[in-house]
Amino acid sequence: KAGVTQTPRYLIKTRGQQVTLSCSPISGHRSVSWYQQTPGQGLQFLFEYFSETQRNKGNFPGRFSGRQFSNSRSEMNVSTLELGDSALYLCASSSIPGQGNYGYTFGSGTRLTVV
Amino acid sequence: AQSVTQLGSHVSVSEGALVLLRCNYSSSVPPYLFWYVQYPNQGLQLLLKYTSAATLVKGINGFEAEFKKSETSFHLTKPSAHMSDAAEYFCAALNFGNEKLTFGTGTRLTIIP
């Protein structure tokens, strides 16, 4: 079955602009999480959605937001971009804990560069 | 709050030698534990996971890990390193009811020919 699909793979934006990243989970997975990866801070949790509801949120400013649609696809938005937002943004989808194949499957990521 | 510690940000081993990457978690209640591998410009690929079943977990590419509650550890091993194992490896923990992976800082594995 198809894996987690993130689009676009690469983005270059200017400070002050906003950006929207997209994630399509594995078919049947209802949980989608977002992570930011930078050389300095490593992998940090942004937020997690399940059935269109945000269940958990990391310690990021309000400029970072997300949503999930009824088909489980998710988007994250970053407004008023700063140079420090340059990072690899990773999306992961998961099934329900207790299922034999439970685990987090990651997409290839979106590399965002802010100039 | 849960924390994950990976000892050694860089590990070098000779081709054919044992690979040992260390991971310790902090919570008193054993979490679910995962090892991921990341190749340059790629996402994270799941190597193996511990979800409270067998303590010795076998994964892909010949890797395995042993959960030791008394040591709060989940070290990753491979008997014989291959050049294709050169990558960055991340250990992660997930606590029940908290759908958030907490990652270690990663270990970059270099294989010496």
Side-chain angles (χ1 to χ4, degrees):
Chain A
K1 56 184 177 181
V4 178
T5 303
Q6 290 189 246
T7 56
R9 285 295 311 275
Y10 301 93
L11 268 177
I12 300 176
K13 290 287 188 179
T14 304
R15 274 180 300 175
Q17 287 186 313
Q18 74 163 18
V19 67
T20 299
L21 312 181
S22 179
C23 172
S24 294
I26 289 173
S27 178
H29 284 190
R30 293 162 62 188
S31 171
V32 174
S33 306
W34 289 89
Y35 292 81
Q36 181 197 64
Q37 185 178 25
T38 60
Q41 299 298 316
L43 283 151
Q44 292 187 287
F45 171 77
L46 281 157
F47 25 65
E48 187 259 349
Y49 287 87
F50 182 85
S51 294
E52 303 179 66
T53 300
Q54 187 182 87
R55 293 197 298 187
N56 208 347
K57 189 177 190 307
N59 295 323
F60 279 83
R63 299 185 297 107
F64 291 81
S65 63
R67 60 178 175 170
Q68 187 180 32
F69 302 96
S70 58
N71 62 356
S72 295
R73 191 178 70 84
S74 177
E75 289 181 346
M76 68 163 281
N77 184 78
V78 187
S79 62
T80 319
L81 284 165
E82 302 177 358
L83 294 178
D85 298 333
S86 296
L88 180 66
Y89 289 89
L90 292 164
C91 166
S93 76
S94 69
S95 58
I96 299 170
Q99 288 184 336
N101 62 346
Y102 177 70
Y104 285 72
T105 302
F106 283 81
S108 298
T110 295
R111 172 76 61 185
L112 172 64
T113 302
V114 182
V115 298
Chain B
Q2 173 75 261
S3 66
V4 175
T5 302
Q6 290 184 242
L7 282 177
S9 57
H10 292 86
V11 170
S12 297
V13 301
S14 298
E15 190 175 14
L18 171 73
V19 175
L20 170 61
L21 304 182
R22 300 178 187 273
C23 172
N24 289 85
Y25 64 92
S26 65
S27 63
S28 57
V29 176
Y32 285 0
L33 294 161
F34 306 83
W35 274 102
Y36 287 90
V37 61
Q38 186 176 37
Y39 298 97
N41 296 316
Q42 297 285 321
L44 302 174
Q45 181 183 10
L46 180 66
L47 283 175
L48 47 78
K49 63 186 178 187
Y50 166 77
T51 56
S52 72
T55 56
L56 183 61
V57 181
K58 294 188 185 297
I60 62 171
N61 302 340
F63 285 95
E64 64 180 38
E66 185 173 9
F67 171 74
K68 291 187 177 181
K69 183 178 178 180
S70 60
E71 299 177 7
T72 61
S73 69
F74 189 55
H75 302 331
L76 181 71
T77 60
K78 182 174 180 177
S80 178
H82 191 273
M83 295 301 295
S84 62
D85 295 328
E88 188 145 23
Y89 292 79
F90 292 92
C91 180
L94 176 73
N95 287 92
F96 300 115
N98 180 355
E99 298 300 317
K100 169 185 118 171
L101 287 170
T102 301
F103 285 90
T105 51
T107 297
R108 184 169 300 279
L109 177 64
T110 300
I111 309 299
I112 303 166

